[in-house]
């Protein structure tokens, strides 16, 4: 996941990309960046329901990288054939 974010925002310091970092507030991803991130995730994990995570993430403080990774891991646990994060 870090690689996707670094590709979208190459000027970010690697140490800023932490599980608790807000994609918008801390990492500075805007709506176009989030669309690109969603496309990259869909390429890796076509079955992942990004809309479900986005509805969860719309609450203040819930758009963390960690919450996205947790959602991807939950899907992997429920679908053993899914790619790992």
């Amino acid at each position: 996941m870090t690689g996707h974010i670094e590709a979208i925002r190459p000027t970010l310091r690697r140490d800023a990309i932490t599980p608790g970092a807000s994609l918008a507030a801390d990492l500075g991803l805007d709506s176009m960046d989030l669309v690109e991130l969603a496309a990259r995730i869909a390429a890796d994990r076509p079955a992942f329901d990004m809309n479900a995570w986005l509805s969860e993430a719309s609450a203040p403080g819930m758009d963390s990288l960690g919450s996205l990774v947790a959602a991807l891991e939950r899907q992997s646990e429920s679908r053993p054939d899914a790619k790992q994060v």
Side-chain angles (χ1 to χ4, degrees):
M1 188 64 54
T2 300
H4 290 319
I5 293 173
E6 288 177 328
I8 294 166
R9 286 290 175 124
T11 58
L12 278 175
R13 291 184 343 266
R14 184 177 265 280
D15 64 344
I17 305 171
T18 64
S22 163
L23 297 177
D26 298 326
L27 302 180
L29 274 64
D30 61 22
S31 59
M32 293 305 294
D33 295 330
L34 291 173
V35 168
E36 185 174 347
L37 180 60
R40 289 172 176 272
I41 291 170
D44 288 344
R45 307 280 292 276
F48 180 65
D49 185 358
M50 188 74 165
N51 289 328
W53 176 78
L54 284 171
S55 67
E56 282 178 25
S58 66
M62 294 303 296
D63 74 330
S64 71
L65 178 58
S67 72
L68 177 55
V69 169
L72 288 161
E73 288 174 347
R74 282 192 303 272
Q75 180 192 23
S76 293
E77 290 170 1
S78 66
R79 295 192 59 230
D81 60 323
K83 288 183 181 178
Q84 294 297 312
V85 178

